[in-house]
């Protein structure tokens, strides 16, 4: 993964985010054969690095949540919400 923005579909020009289907395909290709824990860990590491560098905004983090939360069950959604709030507070 080159950057967290690949998952939110963001660009330097704040163009419209990619569709959930496109995002899902990108993630599936990037993490084919890896566990959910490995995928989540990589996303979190990249997101935290980008957030600290000032290249990832709270709005982009929220867009990521809004894109993926409908695909999750209630427990996963709650867990992702906690992660999102943690990232927003960095």
């Amino acid at each position: 993964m080159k950057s967290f923005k690949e998952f939110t579909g963001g660009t330097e020009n704040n163009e419209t985010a990619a569709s959930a289907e496109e995002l899902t395909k990108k993630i599936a290709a990037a993490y084919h054969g890896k566990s959910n824990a490995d995928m989540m860990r990589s996303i979190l590491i990249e997101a935290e690095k980008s957030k600290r560098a000032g290249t990832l905004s709270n709005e982009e983090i929220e867009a990521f949540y809004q894109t993926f939360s409908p695909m999750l069950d209630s427990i996963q959604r709650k867990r992702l919400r906690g992660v999102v709030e943690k990232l927003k507070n960095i």
Side-chain angles (χ1 to χ4, degrees):
M1 177 170 61
K2 295 179 183 174
S3 76
F4 185 79
K5 287 187 180 189
E6 289 178 18
F7 292 110
T8 61
T11 66
E12 296 302 318
N13 297 329
N14 288 326
E15 293 174 1
T16 305
S19 73
E21 181 180 353
E22 291 168 343
L23 242 30
T24 302
K25 286 179 184 177
K26 285 181 184 180
I27 290 173
Y31 292 101
H32 180 71
K34 294 185 180 180
S35 72
N36 286 341
D38 288 340
M39 181 177 72
M40 196 62 168
R41 190 172 18 263
S42 294
I43 291 170
L44 292 175
I45 288 168
E46 188 60 40
E48 185 172 347
K49 184 173 31 171
S50 296
K51 180 72 171 166
R52 290 186 191 282
T55 59
L56 180 65
S57 71
N58 287 347
E59 291 79 18
E60 290 167 320
I61 294 169
E62 187 63 33
F64 177 82
Y65 175 81
Q66 294 300 324
T67 299
F68 283 100
S69 64
M71 296 180 238
L72 306 174
D73 63 35
S74 62
I75 293 169
Q76 293 169 321
R77 195 174 303 117
K78 185 176 180 178
R79 192 174 303 142
L80 182 59
R81 175 47 72 189
V83 169
V84 163
E85 293 307 318
K86 178 182 174 188
L87 289 170
K88 286 180 172 183
N89 289 319
I90 292 176

